Amino acid sequence: GENVEQHPSTLSVQEGDSAVIKCTYSDSASNYFPWYKQELGKRPQLIIDIRSNVGEKKDQRIAVTLNKTAKHFSLHITETQPEDSAVYFCAARTDKLIFGTGTRLQVFP
Amino acid sequence: NAGVTQTPKFRVLKTGQSMTLLCAQDMNHEYMYWYRQDPGMGLRLIHYSVGEGTTAKGEVPDGYNVSRLKKQNFLLGLESAAPSQTSVYFCASSHPYGYTFGSGTRLTVV
């Protein structure tokens, strides 16, 4: 079955710097790759997603890139702000959505 | 339009007791899922359904059963609760993309 690995597990950056989180997946049939932000005690919230026929997608300060050949995808957050602090999860989908283990991002003022 | 609603929000069970968690969605989504999230960890798929009357096993199905008798409802059952099942349970639905999550059920088994 699908396996999703996510790195790093924790990431600390200064406000205004960029943050990059990377994921790899095992099932080449995966066709949908969302990223979620989860704040403490709350449900995961979709922040951006990409489908397998697209290599890159951007939404304001957030971008996702996909390399199907290497089976990896990345989340890029530019100009980080303290409110970006949360746990971020990547996921990959065939007929079911499998999550990575999460990255705790801390943005220091 | 409530989205995905989970009941109950909190529950404490004794070891060996049974219970059912209810997930209801009003978006006419075909796909529904149950995940569990342990402290400091990611979401692990328990069971899922690709349509009314169908169910399939996910990553961690042991100790759980599910039913999808109606398209809008997905039930998760624990027949004999164990302390290892203490977790936060999230339900989600999709069409098949654009997942919507419920607010979660915090279950403690003592």
Side-chain angles (χ1 to χ4, degrees):
Chain A
E2 176 68 283
N3 183 52
V4 179
E5 295 189 357
Q6 183 172 347
H7 299 281
S9 57
T10 60
L11 180 59
S12 297
V13 300
Q14 206 72 31
E15 182 178 1
D17 287 350
S18 295
V20 180
I21 302 171
K22 298 182 178 182
C23 289
T24 60
Y25 61 98
S26 61
D27 192 337
S28 57
S30 292
N31 56 13
Y32 175 65
F33 307 90
W35 286 87
Y36 289 86
K37 176 182 180 181
Q38 188 178 33
E39 297 175 334
L40 190 63
K42 296 191 176 181
R43 74 189 83 185
Q45 297 282 358
L46 178 71
I47 56 172
I48 195 167
D49 58 8
I50 192 168
R51 299 195 188 184
S52 58
N53 58 347
V54 175
E56 184 174 358
K57 184 177 178 180
K58 189 174 182 180
D59 182 5
Q60 299 183 346
R61 298 187 295 110
I62 295 173
V64 57
T65 59
L66 171 65
N67 183 327
K68 286 192 298 182
T69 303
K71 290 191 280 189
H72 67 70
F73 55 115
S74 300
L75 177 71
H76 304 252
I77 305 174
T78 59
E79 302 172 22
T80 54
Q81 301 166 3
E83 49 266 39
D84 293 331
S85 297
V87 179
Y88 291 80
F89 292 98
C90 63
R93 183 190 187 279
T94 50
D95 61 337
K96 52 189 180 288
L97 191 66
I98 301 299
F99 282 79
T101 50
T103 296
R104 182 173 300 277
L105 174 65
Q106 289 184 301
V107 181
F108 293 97
Chain B
N1 189 339
V4 176
T5 302
Q6 290 183 232
T7 53
K9 296 190 185 305
F10 303 93
R11 184 72 186 269
V12 179
L13 282 181
K14 293 183 178 179
T15 298
Q17 286 185 320
S18 64
M19 78 163 295
T20 299
L21 282 67
L22 172 63
C23 178
Q25 53 98 359
D26 60 3
M27 298 170 287
N28 202 34
H29 285 174
E30 288 292 336
Y31 295 70
M32 297 188 74
Y33 313 82
W34 275 107
Y35 291 89
R36 63 175 287 173
Q37 185 174 33
D38 299 323
M41 297 183 66
L43 287 85
R44 292 183 292 169
L45 182 64
I46 304 171
H47 287 282
Y48 65 106
S49 168
V50 301
E52 181 178 316
T54 75
T55 63
K57 293 181 180 180
E59 302 170 278
V60 289
D62 294 342
Y64 305 94
N65 57 74
V66 288
S67 64
R68 183 98 181 270
L69 298 179
K70 293 183 178 181
K71 186 177 184 178
Q72 64 268 33
N73 295 336
F74 196 29
L75 279 64
L76 178 70
L78 287 73
E79 291 185 347
S80 180
S84 61
Q85 294 178 304
T86 294
S87 190
V88 178
Y89 292 84
F90 287 102
C91 175
S93 70
S94 70
H95 58 77
Y97 304 112
Y99 289 69
T100 301
F101 281 84
S103 58
T105 295
R106 186 172 297 276
L107 175 66
T108 302
V109 182
V110 298

